[in-house]
C-alpha cells in the first residue's frame, strides 16, 4: 500500500491550520510533506520557534492528530555544499531540520545532495555533467567535489541523523546537484552510508532522458521517498534544441520541457506501471508526495488533475 501526501508549499497563502483543512476536506488527502527551509518558502512551519519551544511542538502535532493526518516528511531542499554564505545557511537548515524531525517523531527528511564549487578558491557551484576527458582540469575538479567536500559532509550529516533518530535522508536527484542520477546517488550512498537514499522524483529523470521505471531495480533498497511529479518534453522544440534548457520556468510556451500535472506528460498506463514496479521493488507502506509545479494551469486544476491520476495508479 502507498499513501498519497501533498508537498504543502503550493498552498503557501494559507495558514498551517487552513492548509491542513484544505488538504483534507478539499482534496481528500490525509498526509503532508512540509517545507522546513532551504529554497522553498516555509509558510506552515517555524523551524527555529519549534526547536526552542516544546509547547509549540505539541500544538503543531495536536493539529495533525485532531484531523487524523500524518506528517510524511520534512523537506529542506537546498545546497549545503555551496561555497560561502549559502552553503553555511543550508547546512544550518538541514541540520536543524534533523533536530526538528526528532522532536516531531519524523523518521525521514527530504533534501538535495548539494553542489560544491569546482575548487577551493571558487565562489560559485560548478555542475560538471560532460566528459572529464577534456578539458584536462575536469578530473581534479570532480575529485575535489566528491572527496574533499561532499563525502565528508554527508558522512557527518548521516551520523548526526542517526544520533537523532532520523533513519532516512531522501536526496532528490536533480540537475545542477552533485547527485543527479542513480549512479551518483549510489556512489554517495556507498561512501557516506545507508542513511542516504533517494527521493525518486520522476520529473527530473524525464527531463534528463532517464526512464524512471528503468531505474527502480538498480535503486532497490535505496528508495526512501517518492514524489508524484510529471514533466513533458515539448517534442517539436526539443527536436531542434535538445533538453539542456536555460529559459525560466515561467516561459512555458518556449521551453523544450515543462513540469506538468501528473498525467499531462505521461499517461495513466505509464504511472500504473511505475507504481507497480515500485511496489515489486519493496516500496510499500510509504508515501507518494504530490509536488505540483505546473505553471500551464491553475494550482487547483493542477492539484485535481494530479490527484486523480495518482489515486488511479498508486498501489492501494
Amino acid at each position: 500500500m502507498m499513501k498519497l501526501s501533498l508537498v504543502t508549499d503550493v498552498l503557501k497563502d494559507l495558514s498551517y491550520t487552513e492548509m491542513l483543512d484544505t488538504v483534507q476536506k478539499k482534496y481528500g488527502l490525509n498526509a503532508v510533506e512540509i517545507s522546513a527551509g532551504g529554497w522553498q518558502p516555509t509558510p506552515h512551519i517555524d523551524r527555529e520557534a519549534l526547536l526552542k519551544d516544546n509547547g509549540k511542538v505539541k500544538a503543531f502535532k495536536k493539529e495533525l492528530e485532531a484531523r487524523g493526518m500524518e506528517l510524511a516528511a520534512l523537506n529542506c531542499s537546498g545546497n549545503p555544499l555551496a561555497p560561502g554564505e549559502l552553503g553555511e545557511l543550508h547546512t544550518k537548515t538541514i541540520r536543524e531540520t534533523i533536530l526538528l524531525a526528532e522532536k516531531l517523531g519524523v523518521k525521514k527528511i527530504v533534501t538535495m545532495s548539494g553542489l560544491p564549487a569546482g575548487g577551493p578558491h571558487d565562489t560559485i557551484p560548478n555542475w560538471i555533467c560532460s566528459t572529464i576527458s577534456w578539458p584536462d582540469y575536469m578530473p581534479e575538479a570532480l575529485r575535489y567535489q566528491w572527496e574533499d567536500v561532499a563525502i565528508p559532509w554527508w558522512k557527518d550529516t548521516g551520523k548526526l541523523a542517526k544520533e537523532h533518530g532520523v533513519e532516512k535522508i531522501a536526496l532528490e536527484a536533480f540537475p545542477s546537484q552533485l547527485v543527479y542520477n542513480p549512479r551518483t546517488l549510489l556512489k554517495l550512498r556507498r561512501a557516506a552510508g545507508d542513511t542516504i537514499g533517494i527521493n525518486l522524483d520522476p520529473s527530473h529523470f524525464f527531463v534528463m532522458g532517464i526512464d524512471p521505471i528503468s531505474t527502480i531495480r538498480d535503486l532497490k533498497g535505496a528508495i526512501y521517498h517518492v514524489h508524484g511529479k510529471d514533466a513533458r518534453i515539448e517534442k517539436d522544440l526539443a527536436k531542434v534544441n535538445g533538453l539542456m534548457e536555460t529559459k525560466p520556468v515561467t516561459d512555458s510556451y518556449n521551453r523544450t520541457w515543462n513540469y506538468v500535472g501528473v498525467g499531462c506528460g505521461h499517461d495513466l498506463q505509464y504511472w500504473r506501471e511505475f507504481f507497480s514496479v515500485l511496489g515489486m521493488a519493496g516500496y510499500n507502506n510509504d508515501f507518494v508526495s504530490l509536488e505540483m509545479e505546473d505553471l500551464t494551469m491553475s494550482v487547483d486544476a493542477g492539484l485535481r488533475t494530479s490527484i486523480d491520476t495518482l489515486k488511479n495508479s498508486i498501489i492501494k
Side-chain angles (χ1 to χ4, degrees), residues 116-134:
H121 305 298
D122 292 355
T123 59
I124 298 174
N126 190 334
W127 189 36
I128 299 171
C129 56
S130 62
T131 178
I132 62 169
S133 299
W134 183 89

Side-chain angles (χ1 to χ4, degrees), residues 17-312:
T17 54
E18 289 171 335
M19 175 275 292
L20 293 179
D21 287 337
T22 298
V23 170
Q24 188 173 65
K25 295 176 181 178
K26 185 174 183 178
Y27 296 113
L29 306 181
N30 287 304
V32 288
E33 177 182 331
I34 297 180
S35 171
W39 278 315
Q40 310 100 312
T42 57
H44 305 130
I45 203 166
D46 187 334
R47 185 184 74 251
E48 294 185 354
L50 290 174
L51 284 171
K52 293 175 182 177
D53 190 335
N54 287 333
K56 290 183 178 180
V57 171
K58 290 179 182 178
F60 183 91
K61 294 170 70 174
K62 185 177 179 180
E63 296 294 347
L64 287 164
E65 293 163 359
R67 296 166 175 79
M69 297 181 72
E70 294 181 90
L71 182 54
L74 293 177
N75 192 308
C76 51
S77 293
N79 186 357
L81 306 183
E85 292 182 2
L86 179 65
E88 292 171 3
L89 174 62
H90 286 180
T91 290
K92 178 176 181 286
T93 297
I94 290 173
R95 292 180 174 170
E96 286 186 353
T97 300
I98 289 170
L99 302 182
L100 180 56
E102 180 182 33
K103 283 181 172 286
L104 294 173
V106 178
K107 302 296 184 183
K108 174 167 59 179
I109 69 165
V110 179
T111 187
M112 294 177 181
S113 66
L115 180 68
H121 305 298
D122 292 355
T123 59
I124 298 174
N126 190 334
W127 189 36
I128 299 171
C129 56
S130 62
T131 178
I132 62 169
S133 299
W134 183 89
D136 59 6
Y137 55 77
M138 300 284 260
E140 172 55 24
L142 204 59
R143 186 211 62 77
Y144 166 81
Q145 290 183 320
W146 280 95
E147 296 180 19
D148 291 2
V149 183
I151 291 172
W153 194 95
W154 278 108
K155 280 183 176 179
D156 288 345
T157 302
K159 182 174 181 288
L160 179 71
K162 286 185 176 180
E163 289 171 352
H164 292 276
V166 173
E167 298 171 354
K168 296 178 179 179
I169 300 175
L171 299 183
E172 188 168 339
F174 192 83
S176 293
Q177 295 286 301
L178 198 62
V179 167
Y180 61 91
N181 61 11
R183 180 188 296 159
T184 49
L185 181 282
L186 294 172
K187 177 178 179 177
L188 184 60
R189 178 179 166 89
R190 285 192 297 269
D194 61 8
T195 305
I196 306 298
I198 195 168
N199 167 30
L200 181 53
D201 184 324
S203 67
H204 306 311
F205 283 177
F206 290 141
V207 304
M208 290 187 284
I210 301 169
D211 177 17
I213 294 173
S214 299
T215 71
I216 292 172
R217 286 181 171 84
D218 282 353
L219 292 168
K220 182 180 179 181
I223 302 172
Y224 285 176
H225 195 61
V226 175
H227 271 175
K229 187 176 168 190
D230 204 351
R232 182 176 62 235
I233 307 302
E234 309 296 358
K235 295 179 182 176
D236 289 341
L237 296 176
K239 285 177 181 177
V240 175
N241 290 303
L243 297 176
M244 304 297 285
E245 181 57 85
T246 59
K247 290 185 178 297
V249 293
T250 51
D251 192 10
S252 304
Y253 187 75
N254 293 303
R255 287 173 54 84
T256 60
W257 60 265
N258 287 292
Y259 295 128
V260 291
V262 183
C264 296
H266 296 79
D267 63 17
L268 186 60
Q269 176 59 33
Y270 182 91
W271 290 104
R272 284 176 171 167
E273 182 180 352
F274 173 77
F275 288 115
S276 176
V277 177
L278 195 60
M280 287 164 48
Y283 191 82
N284 290 298
N285 300 313
D286 215 327
F287 294 96
V288 176
S289 283
L290 166 58
E291 187 176 23
M292 216 301 286
E293 295 184 3
D294 190 330
L295 300 183
T296 72
M297 61 179 78
S298 70
V299 168
D300 182 61
L303 287 174
R304 292 184 184 278
T305 296
S306 299
I307 290 169
D308 182 61
T309 300
L310 290 169
K311 282 188 172 181
N312 281 283

